[in-house]
Amino acid sequence: MFASVVIPTYNRRSILEKCLLALEQQILFSELDGYEVVVVDDGSTDGTPGWLRDEASRFPHVRVVEQEHGGPAEGRNRGVDNSRGDLIVFIDSDLVVTESFLACHARALQKSWQQRGDRLSFTYGAVINTANFEQPTTEPHKFQDNSWAYFATGNVAIDREVLERSGLFDTNFRLYGWEDLELGERLRQMGVELVKCPEAVGYHWHPALRLEQVPDLIRVERERAKMGLIFYRKHPTRRVRFIIQFTWLHRLLWELLTLGGLLNERSLRPLLGWLIHNGHQGLAMELLRLPLNRIGVRALFKEAALTGLR
């Protein structure tokens, strides 16, 4: 197999450097003949494309593709179109992987394909969340790192022909959220099996919570609501309703947990500030998820009402 690692990126130059350096350290075993890294710059304004060209000697496996800002779905499709591999690996540009990352994906896939007698399976690696920018790979695995998503592009590998047969990513998902899980629904309908591959480890870096981030987090929840309805229109099933939280059960749950909105980003601000000041950013983020979920679900129902969707 020859692997193409497809990475869309937008204004993440600092962590992208760590991501690419880790990919240059891959140790290949017999399952892999070689690999390339296709970085699709989604109209970054931080000088990422020029920096990558200037630093080309440090990243011999990297090829750069540029596009106007169109979102990760368009970026991933463009990356696949510009790749050479028969194995496509998707990661995010803020993921730092271990040196056996690609080999573990390839070994697990080859074993699955031999057992099945076809290539209708994909591997899903482990994603460990960390706020440690200097040494992201020192973060231990935590319960919160477990994911029940079917196809999440933070760390997956799939046969190119199977991916292309699915139709790739829907570029109507131009804002944040759901484009990968929507593709996952189509893969499920094709009978493509998820194979867990915890040995293929990636450390997902994100900055520790600051109060200044809260407005941006609220914006993301509202974008997710808009994209969630695109997801549901394509797959109007009970399963998708639960995935995007488009149920009265979810609406009731987040109303109860926030005491009808009394616990919100404003009322929680002093407590969040105290937790952050005392080094408990993770706990602060978990607490903030309560009003964020309420905001997201309310936005989802409001958007649905405006478009006549029930």
Side-chain angles (χ1 to χ4, degrees):
M1 286 184 280
F2 185 90
S4 293
V5 185
V6 175
I7 308 175
T9 189
Y10 179 69
N11 288 347
R12 285 181 173 170
R13 175 174 155 179
S14 57
I15 191 62
L16 176 65
E17 181 175 13
K18 291 182 180 292
C19 171
L20 298 181
L21 286 172
L23 285 168
E24 290 295 341
Q25 305 302 315
Q26 294 300 290
I27 298 175
L28 303 185
F29 297 105
S30 58
E31 292 83 2
L32 271 178
D33 300 319
Y35 70 100
E36 65 177 356
V37 179
V38 183
V39 177
V40 183
D41 184 79
D42 189 28
S44 292
T45 58
D46 64 353
T48 293
W51 169 75
L52 284 171
R53 286 190 291 269
D54 292 341
E55 299 289 324
S57 62
R58 297 174 64 202
F59 308 117
H61 289 90
V62 173
R63 292 194 295 114
V64 183
V65 178
E66 296 182 57
Q67 67 177 31
E68 294 184 6
H69 190 50
E74 182 179 332
R76 293 191 187 101
N77 287 353
R78 196 178 299 272
V80 173
D81 290 343
N82 284 273
S83 67
R84 298 182 289 128
D86 53 337
L87 174 65
I88 303 298
V89 181
F90 292 112
I91 68 171
D92 292 331
S93 59
D94 51 8
L95 198 79
V96 179
V97 303
T98 58
E99 61 184 14
S100 62
F101 175 78
L102 291 178
C104 288
H105 270 299
R107 186 182 298 119
L109 274 175
Q110 189 172 76
K111 180 180 179 181
S112 172
W113 294 342
Q114 288 173 347
Q115 291 174 342
R116 291 179 55 92
D118 59 38
R119 292 198 168 197
L120 293 176
S121 60
F122 67 90
T123 44
Y124 189 7
V127 176
I128 298 175
N129 293 291
T130 179
N132 186 339
F133 180 81
E134 296 304 325
Q135 295 181 301
T137 58
T138 61
E139 184 77 18
H141 185 274
K142 306 171 292 301
F143 176 79
Q144 301 96 306
D145 295 324
N146 294 316
S147 171
W148 288 268
Y150 182 72
F151 187 85
T153 46
N155 185 352
V156 293
I158 188 169
D159 175 72
R160 181 194 194 96
E161 191 275 333
V162 171
L163 177 65
E164 290 178 337
R165 194 149 34 106
S166 74
L168 298 179
F169 296 90
D170 185 341
T171 55
N172 286 311
F173 291 89
R174 297 183 64 85
L175 302 177
Y176 184 90
W178 306 120
E179 77 284 345
D180 48 356
L181 272 69
E182 189 280 320
L183 173 56
E185 286 301 295
R186 285 181 273 133
L187 290 170
R188 283 172 58 90
Q189 292 164 12
M190 290 170 56
V192 182
E193 178 188 6
L194 181 159
V195 176
K196 292 282 189 178
C197 185
E199 302 83 10
V201 180
Y203 294 84
H204 177 213
W205 177 82
H206 48 84
L209 179 65
R210 295 175 292 109
L211 290 177
E212 294 79 10
Q213 291 175 258
V214 173
D216 192 53
L217 293 171
I218 292 173
R219 174 189 59 79
V220 165
E221 287 302 318
R222 289 175 174 150
E223 288 186 0
R224 279 166 53 89
K226 291 178 183 291
M227 298 300 98
L229 290 182
I230 293 177
F231 187 5
Y232 180 67
R233 288 190 185 98
K234 293 193 68 175
H235 306 277
T237 64
R238 182 179 291 109
R239 170 184 164 81
V240 172
R241 274 188 178 269
F242 269 85
I243 289 173
I244 66 172
Q245 302 195 88
F246 186 34
T247 73
W248 285 100
L249 176 63
H250 287 99
R251 190 162 187 177
L252 177 62
L253 172 67
W254 299 117
E255 290 293 337
L256 288 174
L257 290 178
T258 60
L259 305 178
L262 290 175
L263 297 178
N264 56 56
E265 70 279 7
R266 296 179 299 278
S267 63
L268 288 173
R269 189 178 180 88
L271 177 56
L272 294 173
W274 184 87
L275 289 169
I276 291 169
H277 179 74
N278 286 278
H280 304 296
Q281 291 91 342
L283 180 58
M285 187 66 235
E286 292 305 313
L287 184 60
L288 183 59
R289 289 190 196 281
L290 297 176
L292 287 178
N293 272 295
R294 178 177 181 267
I295 288 168
V297 169
R298 287 175 65 89
L300 188 61
F301 274 83
K302 181 178 180 181
E303 191 74 23
L306 290 173
T307 58
L309 190 63
R310 300 189 183 279

